[in-house]
Amino acid sequence: MVYKFRVILDAEEDVFRDIAILEDDTLEDLHNAIVNAFGFDGLEVASFYTCDDTWNQEDEIPMFDAGDVPGENKIMSDYQLSDLLYEDNTKIIYVYDFINMWTFLVELAAIEDVAVSAVYPETIFSHGEMPAEALEKQFEADMDEEGYNEFEDDLDEDDLDMFGGEDHFEDYGFEENWN
């Protein structure tokens, strides 16, 4: 079977590509198809993220295993598309280049029979021009019902004056020329 994806850039303007790829191809193959469809050089790190129906990010699926124990974490090449995406689970998030944070919403739009003369993966439709820069992301902590912010520690300036008086870091044995 052939999976047809709509890959939408998270941007102010409408920019998307439709990609056809075989269901037994891997997430790494989809990554390469997205890189080619959007004209990236492919030299940056990327990850897929599972998500729910409303695009809330869940588990990361990276390109490389950066864990402490080699082989402990599954990577893009370990997952066939059909392992994660099917009729009841159609959405996944893709982030390319963690400096610029190019973010894409990837949705499985159709599952069809393989066309005899087609070569997969294939960009079957292209809409919009890539902007010069990625949309700037705002990373903010969510507040719970009681107004608690997980990053707030309730310390004020008086609490941070732990040395009191004339004490300084220099008084704790750190020498300027320590090597």
Side-chain angles (χ1 to χ4, degrees):
M1 301 301 286
V2 173
Y3 278 14
K4 291 188 175 179
F5 289 98
R6 173 146 295 169
V7 183
I8 305 167
L9 175 64
D10 184 13
E12 291 180 13
E13 301 295 322
D14 289 339
V15 179
F16 63 88
R17 307 289 184 262
D18 291 345
I19 296 172
I21 187 169
L22 297 173
E23 71 176 326
D24 57 352
D25 281 341
T26 66
L27 282 178
E28 184 175 34
D29 297 323
L30 181 58
H31 153 74
N32 291 328
I34 293 170
V35 164
N36 290 330
F38 284 91
F40 293 119
D41 59 17
L43 300 176
E44 301 298 332
V45 177
S47 285
F48 283 97
Y49 295 88
T50 59
C51 63
D52 62 18
D53 286 339
T54 57
W55 299 103
N56 292 311
Q57 181 176 315
E58 295 172 344
D59 298 325
E60 180 182 16
I61 304 169
M63 287 176 66
F64 308 107
D65 183 358
D68 293 335
V69 179
E72 183 177 51
N73 298 324
K74 292 182 93 175
I75 58 174
M76 287 182 196
S77 61
D78 294 331
Y79 289 96
Q80 285 187 333
L81 295 175
S82 59
D83 293 340
L84 293 173
L85 300 160
Y86 40 88
E87 290 175 1
D88 294 332
N89 188 36
T90 60
K91 298 177 180 178
I92 195 163
I93 298 169
Y94 175 72
V95 177
Y96 177 80
D97 183 357
F98 289 103
I99 301 295
N100 293 307
M101 297 295 290
W102 293 100
T103 303
F104 299 86
L105 307 176
V106 181
E107 186 164 15
L108 178 60
I111 301 173
E112 299 177 354
D113 290 329
V114 175
V116 177
S117 61
V119 177
Y120 300 105
E122 175 186 19
T123 301
I124 54 178
F125 185 75
S126 179
H127 177 81
E129 297 287 325
M130 286 292 293
E133 295 180 356
L135 186 65
E136 187 171 326
K137 304 289 185 271
Q138 297 294 323
F139 294 102
E140 298 175 357
D142 292 332
M143 302 291 273
D144 67 10
E145 298 99 32
E146 298 173 12
Y148 175 75
N149 179 340
E150 68 180 307
F151 298 108
E152 177 61 46
D153 58 11
D154 296 327
L155 295 176
D156 58 20
E157 289 298 319
D158 292 333
D159 295 324
L160 297 176
D161 190 18
M162 66 182 78
F163 297 109
E166 300 296 321
D167 292 338
H168 299 286
F169 283 110
E170 292 87 19
D171 297 335
Y172 290 97
F174 295 104
E175 298 178 16
E176 192 170 316
N177 298 316
W178 55 274
N179 51 347

